[in-house]
Amino acid sequence: HVQLVESGGESVQAGGSLRLSCAASELSYSTACMSWFRQAPGQEREWVAGIYIGDSSTYYADSVKGRFTISLDGTKRTTWLQMNGLTPEDTATYYCAARPEGPIVVGVGATCISRRESPYSYWGRWTQVTVS
């Protein structure tokens, strides 16, 4: 049974940084995609960043590219999301999600990017990020 536990969210001032973590258990680490989603008040949940555990390929939404960095710890059981240059638009509830099957096949390629929640079958509870 996969369990994901997020931590690291808090209130910060604009321009500040935070590092979110997602600790995973009982996951097939060689093939999984790990991603962060976020949901702002009154908005749909959106995909933010992803990483393929198999080769550490990373993927980012345009809104965070260059500011956020997703990575794995040495054990590959924790996924980090380093967030720099935070703005009020980053205020949201952040969720960690896992897709044990690995990248989603799209055409002739595969990716951890998903505009829908459904390809990700395991979810953490949430961690709140507030930027003012």
Side-chain angles (χ1 to χ4, degrees):
H1 177 65
V2 177
Q3 289 186 319
L4 303 176
V5 179
E6 303 102 328
S7 63
E10 57 183 79
S11 297
V12 295
Q13 292 188 339
S17 298
L18 283 175
R19 187 173 72 164
L20 305 183
S21 67
C22 172
S25 63
E26 304 300 327
L27 191 64
S28 176
Y29 296 106
S30 64
T31 62
C33 278
M34 301 295 298
S35 277
W36 288 93
F37 289 72
R38 68 185 181 186
Q39 187 167 18
Q43 297 186 22
E44 294 185 352
R45 193 172 299 184
E46 65 170 344
W47 175 87
V48 174
I51 187 166
Y52 172 43
I53 291 178
D55 63 6
S56 297
S57 295
T58 57
Y59 310 84
Y60 298 96
D62 288 343
S63 59
V64 305
K65 200 171 293 183
R67 299 188 299 123
F68 290 12
T69 302
I70 189 170
S71 61
L72 301 166
D73 75 344
T75 69
K76 297 188 176 181
R77 290 181 179 269
T78 297
T79 304
W80 306 103
L81 184 67
Q82 177 68 41
M83 306 187 296
N84 299 327
L86 287 163
T87 73
E89 288 68 37
D90 297 313
T91 294
T93 302
Y94 283 71
Y95 299 85
C96 175
R99 176 180 165 81
E101 310 93 303
I104 303 158
V105 176
V106 179
V108 297
T111 178
C112 292
I113 299 171
S114 178
R115 289 181 170 75
R116 296 176 293 116
E117 299 172 34
S118 55
Y120 283 82
S121 49
Y122 297 100
W123 293 80
R125 293 190 63 185
W126 51 270
T127 187
Q128 180 66 36
V129 172
T130 303
V131 185
S132 59

